[in-house]
Amino acid sequence: MAENFEPRIIAFLCKWCSSAGSDLAGVSRMQYPPNVIPITVMCSGSISPLYIFDAFNKGADGVLVSGCHPGDCHYIKGNYYARRRIALVKKLLEFIGLEPERFQMSWVSAAEGTKYTQIISDFVDALIPLGPQTKLRRNL
Amino acid sequence: MKKKTGVFVCHCGINIAGTVDVKKVAEELAKHPGVDLSEDYVYMCSDPGQNMVIEAIKEKKLDNVVVACCSPTLHETTFRNAAKAAGINNFQCEIANIREQCSWVHKDMSKATLKATKITKSAVEKVRQNESLEPISIPVTRRALVIGGGIAGIQAALDIANTGYEVILVERNPSVGGHMIQLSETFPTLDCSQCILSPKMVEVSKHPKIKLMTYSEVQEISGYVGNFKAKILQKPSYVDPDKCTLCDECTKVCPVVMTDEFDLGLTGRKAIYIPFPQAIPATYTLDIRGCPGLVPIACGKCADVCEPEAIDYDMKAEIIEEEVGSIIVATGYDLYEKENLSEYGYGKYADVLDGLQFERLLSASGPTQGKILRPSDHKEPKEVVFIQCAGSRDPELHCAYCSKICCMYTAKHAMLYKHHVHDGQAYIFYIDIRSGGKGYEEFVQRTVEEDGVVYLRGKVSKIFEDKGKIKVWGVDTLLGKNIEIDADMVVLATAMRPSEGASELAKKLKIAMDKDGFLAEAHPKLRPVESVTSGLFLAGAAQAPKDIPEAVAQASGAAAKAITILSQERLFHSPTVAKVTLNLCTGCGMCVDVCPYDALSLKDGKVEVNEVLCEGCGTCQATCLRAAINVKNTTPSQVHEMIRASLGG
């Protein structure tokens, strides 16, 4: 694998918990690799599987979906729908041969800056040995 | 027509510029298609910075702007207002968060600069497809509903009513007063509970702005902030309170004896009863669970002796509909169920009591007129063991949480016991003493030093009856010794639980509950009296165990929050709500099923959005197979472009 491989990751963060958690990581000046571009959405429940496929199509090496902890959803139950939907997407991605490490879901609350930092660091570490994602990438 | 976008990159002093090459970001963005202007400034949120944005919008006739700066939680409103001041719609401004999510978390300047550029480009792609929206305006029904007539509900109702708004106070029991009216004296001042609460109860019943509905339950709540509709079930009391003269003749002839809930089973009452002499409203209630029959032929004794003819067997339950603008839920607590604490002989031995029962023994209006007597043989107990944390702080078997008030009321119980029985001895088994509160620690010290109460640090392992005594086996962990006490009475500081039926009510109101069943606040620190549903507020022990001053403070807080809604003629709701593309909608109804707010419905085979109920979460958007329903300004088309911008380069 190329030594200087920098994985490109899209992180879909819900506005109320995970985006706020990543803000907290910033306020606390925690350090994590700059490979993630966050896209903030209202709720993890609003993340369509198409967003995830699209990110891989457009060349993402990894995709993270992060929402409020189960039971803590700002919108009462959006993250339960997300959890079910994401579980299916994960299975589908594995079925078509994508390495399971490339797609992750996590629960990060507004108070969990440390957890967010850890998740990103671990994700980047897991992606480096895999190299660029080519399976779903379209020649754009 | 081609849209013109302006980009403004903030240095935030060196907070951003220290790690991100701000000039480079601005240069890169200037090359981005559609961007007409890209500038940087040292403090974009300052007055000159905002003016720079405003002037640029006016001069360059920009259609929309992106400000790359700190988190949108800080300055989204600031810059959207600036955009508005410049004559474009608020929603034609987006924030690219390059501080919290970039400069503060990275050190490598070139990588951080690249990331900041991508984040900003992503925001540009979003804003270019934003719709101009105006807040949705809704009228407000300027009345409040308070559910629960304990101290918290009473306080909230009075606070709202005193500002001139109408309040409907609903209490499911025949009288208001809640658990507080059962108490003898209150810590740490030893005020008599009746003396401080009764005047408030009277005030509630006489207040021209309060409609008091006792013996009533909320059946259904529909609607939304500012415009709730409540269906309230008024149970029949079979006694007309306006005619009843409180002569008490009916209870003398009533043949049915039932358990007295007010005295927690220490005494009995008749099927027709007044909960306690100072009850509000001051009237009798006929309890049909015990009454042999509402048909006069079955009994009818009470009606026969009732001179004012207040008893009406034909009274029927009524559903009363009320419209309100805000709701306060103050449903209080109950004690941890007896059957869960069999290890302490609770429910098995008559002289093992809970804290509330002991309150009734101490109360001048209680079953013993304030004398402390054993329920089993009516003798004065000389050795009393108090056990704290009975059911609390026990994650393995019982409740994991601390019930908060027990340390204080147990100290009070032991002190008052000593005041009544001078030659008696009180022992308190405790895990820790938690006496945080004004005058609380001094109160506990007084219990030990002036009243000679013995505190034993440790748990009780077994309680059993032996030769008329209650043997208490425990351990003193400070001395490392086993303790054996031949007690005459045991009082358990049982855990506080959310009141019975609170979870059903929470479901009706769509209020979340925490893991212990208490009602969940919107934010544990900053929004402690609000629920996640706007317009619904929480007060008292329904939200978490708390003592009287805390319940009162929270009630006043909830009242103030409710008034902020009632005091407005119209409310404004975020317009970023779901929108249906009718020619794509097949009316399959999948989105209707998943909507957490019941904001969607099917009408003529298509989905219709109630824009007032919709909170814009987008669950519908991810569910729709035909992309027929989208949340305004977070459409899939926008997200796909954001993905492209985030991955490019």
Side-chain angles (χ1 to χ4, degrees):
Chain A
M1 213 48 56
E3 289 234 328
N4 297 327
F5 172 59
E6 290 286 353
R8 295 186 298 168
I9 302 168
I10 296 286
F12 294 102
L13 310 178
C14 82
K15 174 177 170 168
W16 305 97
C17 291
S18 295
S19 187
S22 85
D23 275 358
L24 180 65
V27 173
S28 321
R29 309 295 201 279
M30 291 162 184
Q31 298 292 311
Y32 55 82
N35 303 63
V36 171
I37 307 295
I39 293 180
T40 300
V41 292
M42 296 305 271
C43 178
S44 54
S46 77
I47 296 164
S48 154
L50 290 177
Y51 297 174
I52 297 153
F53 302 140
D54 188 45
F56 283 122
N57 286 163
K58 290 189 172 122
D61 299 306
V63 174
L64 172 74
V65 171
S66 191
C68 307
H69 283 266
D72 283 347
C73 180
H74 182 81
Y75 299 109
I76 305 169
K77 54 185 181 180
N79 57 357
Y80 289 129
Y81 292 118
R83 180 162 67 178
R84 286 186 227 165
R85 196 175 287 135
I86 296 310
L88 287 176
V89 171
K90 205 167 171 54
K91 276 192 178 171
L92 180 63
L93 289 172
E94 283 169 31
F95 175 75
I96 55 182
L98 193 79
E99 296 92 334
E101 294 83 359
R102 292 199 187 270
F103 178 57
Q104 290 200 13
M105 171 138 205
S106 64
W107 314 113
V108 173
S109 81
E112 292 178 327
T114 323
K115 186 175 175 188
Y116 183 75
T117 306
Q118 195 60 49
I119 284 168
I120 301 300
S121 306
D122 291 349
F123 198 9
V124 173
D125 286 347
L127 290 176
I128 288 174
L130 298 179
Q133 181 273 126
T134 50
K135 189 99 198 163
L136 292 174
R137 186 173 184 163
R138 283 198 211 139
N139 293 322
L140 297 165
Chain B
M1 201 185 79
K2 203 172 136 269
K3 279 187 185 170
K4 293 162 86 173
T5 305
V7 177
F8 301 87
V9 190
C10 180
H11 294 234
C12 196
I14 55 162
N15 279 300
I16 295 172
T19 334
V20 170
D21 184 344
V22 178
K23 297 238 178 258
K24 176 114 191 284
V25 175
E27 280 164 25
E28 287 296 318
L29 263 294
K31 294 180 217 157
H32 192 76
V35 174
D36 256 49
L37 173 92
S38 182
E39 293 181 334
D40 63 281
Y41 185 67
V42 61
Y43 289 111
M44 207 52 95
C45 58
S46 67
D47 211 34
Q50 289 190 48
N51 282 334
M52 193 173 147
V53 178
I54 294 170
E55 290 309 316
I57 294 172
K58 286 182 181 166
E59 274 174 30
K60 298 266 177 184
K61 297 200 167 47
L62 300 175
D63 295 296
N64 46 50
V65 291
V66 166
V67 184
C69 55
C70 50
S71 168
T73 53
L74 288 161
H75 282 309
E76 186 175 81
T77 315
T78 312
F79 290 113
R80 285 192 167 173
N81 287 342
K84 197 172 184 188
I88 60 173
N89 185 269
N90 302 23
F91 288 91
Q92 296 305 336
C93 168
E94 282 290 341
I95 302 296
N97 179 354
I98 59 165
R99 191 178 76 174
E100 281 82 350
Q101 293 183 341
C102 188
S103 72
W104 274 354
V105 285
H106 306 312
K107 287 209 172 75
D108 184 318
M109 193 140 189
S110 69
K111 287 178 182 169
T113 304
L114 180 63
K115 176 171 168 180
T117 308
K118 288 178 178 175
I119 292 174
T120 313
K121 283 181 180 173
S122 166
V124 167
E125 290 306 326
K126 179 171 196 291
V127 80
R128 288 178 70 76
Q129 292 188 50
N130 268 5
E131 273 181 70
S132 291
L133 303 170
E134 293 300 333
I136 298 163
S137 155
I138 42 174
V140 178
T141 310
R142 304 172 88 175
R143 311 164 80 210
L145 169 67
V146 177
I147 307 172
I151 179 61
I154 288 174
Q155 183 67 40
L158 286 174
D159 283 347
I160 297 172
N162 285 338
T163 56
Y165 298 108
E166 262 181 70
V167 180
I168 299 145
L169 176 60
V170 175
E171 165 59 48
R172 69 177 164 190
N173 289 317
S175 171
V176 292
H179 283 308
M180 182 176 166
I181 200 67
Q182 294 175 302
L183 308 183
S184 54
E185 291 167 30
T186 55
F187 63 78
T189 47
L190 301 185
D191 286 307
C192 141
S193 191
Q194 282 259 0
C195 319
I196 57 178
L197 183 55
S198 302
K200 278 184 181 287
M201 291 163 57
V202 175
E203 203 183 336
V204 155
S205 69
K206 298 227 164 108
H207 201 295
K209 293 284 181 184
I210 297 178
K211 178 178 175 186
L212 179 61
M213 294 181 69
T214 51
Y215 216 39
S216 301
E217 288 180 31
V218 171
Q219 290 251 299
E220 199 184 306
I221 297 279
S222 57
Y224 42 85
V225 57
N227 294 279
F228 292 106
K229 281 196 180 69
K231 280 189 185 166
I232 303 159
L233 172 75
Q234 170 96 60
K235 294 178 275 187
S237 68
Y238 302 103
V239 180
D240 183 343
D242 297 331
K243 288 187 186 162
C244 176
T245 59
L246 299 172
C247 67
D248 204 37
E249 291 302 320
C250 50
T251 63
K252 289 177 191 156
V253 296
C254 179
V256 184
V257 179
M258 300 176 73
T259 307
D260 188 333
E261 300 90 351
F262 189 71
D263 282 336
L264 296 125
L266 292 173
T267 49
R269 60 162 171 85
K270 294 296 182 64
I272 189 162
Y273 70 111
I274 183 164
F276 50 100
Q278 300 76 21
I280 299 287
T283 183
Y284 283 69
T285 302
L286 180 60
D287 188 342
I288 49 161
R289 288 170 302 174
C291 182
L294 295 169
V295 208
I297 207 160
C299 174
K301 290 198 169 83
C302 53
D304 289 346
V305 296
C306 185
E307 263 181 35
E309 297 182 342
I311 294 168
D312 174 9
Y313 295 127
D314 297 329
M315 211 180 259
K316 294 272 179 299
E318 260 187 275
I319 301 268
I320 292 160
E321 291 192 27
E322 295 285 359
E323 291 186 7
V324 294
S326 55
I327 300 175
I328 293 178
V329 188
T331 47
Y333 70 95
D334 275 327
L335 289 184
Y336 194 47
E337 294 78 2
K338 266 190 165 70
E339 45 276 23
N340 295 334
L341 286 169
S342 53
E343 67 259 43
Y344 294 134
Y346 184 40
K348 187 172 169 196
Y349 307 126
D351 298 328
V352 177
L353 305 176
D354 63 43
L356 273 178
Q357 287 177 316
F358 197 69
E359 291 285 347
R360 295 310 301 149
L361 288 186
L362 288 169
S363 171
S365 64
T368 54
Q369 282 81 46
K371 289 196 194 82
I372 298 176
L373 301 174
R374 292 173 16 132
S376 62
D377 55 10
H378 294 210
K379 282 186 188 149
E380 198 174 62
K382 296 293 178 193
E383 304 255 306
V384 179
V385 172
F386 295 89
I387 301 173
Q388 293 193 176
C389 300
S392 306
R393 302 183 66 195
D394 190 346
E396 276 83 38
L397 295 171
H398 303 293
C399 311
Y401 55 87
C402 165
S403 292
K404 202 170 182 184
I405 61 166
C406 325
C407 286
M408 290 309 298
Y409 79 63
T410 303
K412 177 194 76 180
H413 284 169
M415 179 190 276
L416 292 176
Y417 165 72
K418 287 289 290 182
H419 292 181
H420 283 79
V421 185
H422 302 301
D423 59 341
Q425 184 57 58
Y427 304 91
I428 298 179
F429 279 94
Y430 71 102
I431 308 179
D432 299 290
I433 301 296
R434 296 179 168 177
S435 52
K438 202 168 177 175
Y440 287 11
E441 176 60 20
E442 297 90 321
F443 184 85
V444 173
Q445 289 305 325
R446 230 168 80 206
T447 311
V448 179
E449 287 162 17
E450 291 177 22
D451 296 299
V453 171
V454 177
Y455 272 85
L456 300 163
R457 189 177 201 276
K459 292 202 92 169
V460 168
S461 59
K462 197 174 178 184
I463 289 182
F464 57 99
E465 223 167 22
D466 184 38
K467 298 181 192 112
K469 294 274 185 186
I470 303 171
K471 257 204 192 315
V472 179
W473 284 358
V475 62
D476 183 335
T477 55
L478 294 181
L479 291 176
K481 268 173 56 177
N482 287 336
I483 305 276
E484 194 179 320
I485 298 169
D486 285 334
D488 299 309
M489 184 185 270
V490 172
V491 182
L492 305 176
T494 35
M496 279 167 108
R497 291 282 287 257
S499 67
E500 197 195 329
S503 65
E504 288 78 41
L505 184 69
K507 277 178 202 132
K508 282 176 199 161
L509 296 171
K510 297 195 184 70
I511 298 183
M513 285 174 289
D514 65 22
K515 63 182 189 352
D516 303 310
F518 289 102
L519 304 179
E521 62 282 359
H523 188 281
K525 310 262 176 239
L526 301 177
R527 295 170 70 193
V529 304
E530 292 159 74
S531 75
V532 286
T533 311
S534 54
L536 284 173
F537 306 100
L538 315 174
Q543 180 250 340
K546 52 176 65 75
D547 62 13
I548 296 164
E550 282 183 323
V552 170
Q554 197 189 17
S556 290
K561 286 284 179 189
I563 293 165
T564 56
I565 291 172
L566 304 182
S567 61
Q568 298 175 61
E569 275 179 28
R570 301 188 79 78
L571 285 177
F572 293 97
H573 182 71
S574 167
T576 51
V577 293
K579 182 180 164 185
V580 181
T581 311
L582 286 175
N583 57 354
L584 294 180
C585 178
T586 58
C588 70
M590 278 167 64
C591 57
V592 178
D593 292 339
V594 298
C595 178
Y597 298 97
D598 294 335
L600 304 176
S601 56
L602 282 173
K603 196 183 166 193
D604 303 329
K606 304 277 182 189
V607 168
E608 195 178 55
V609 181
N610 180 331
E611 295 198 336
V612 177
L613 287 180
C614 176
E615 293 276 336
C617 68
T619 304
C620 51
Q621 176 172 317
T623 305
C624 182
L625 298 176
R626 299 170 56 89
I629 188 162
N630 293 311
V631 174
K632 291 176 187 171
N633 293 351
T634 324
T635 60
S637 156
Q638 283 176 297
V639 176
H640 290 307
E641 287 311 314
M642 288 169 82
I643 293 170
R644 185 191 304 281
S646 301
L647 289 167

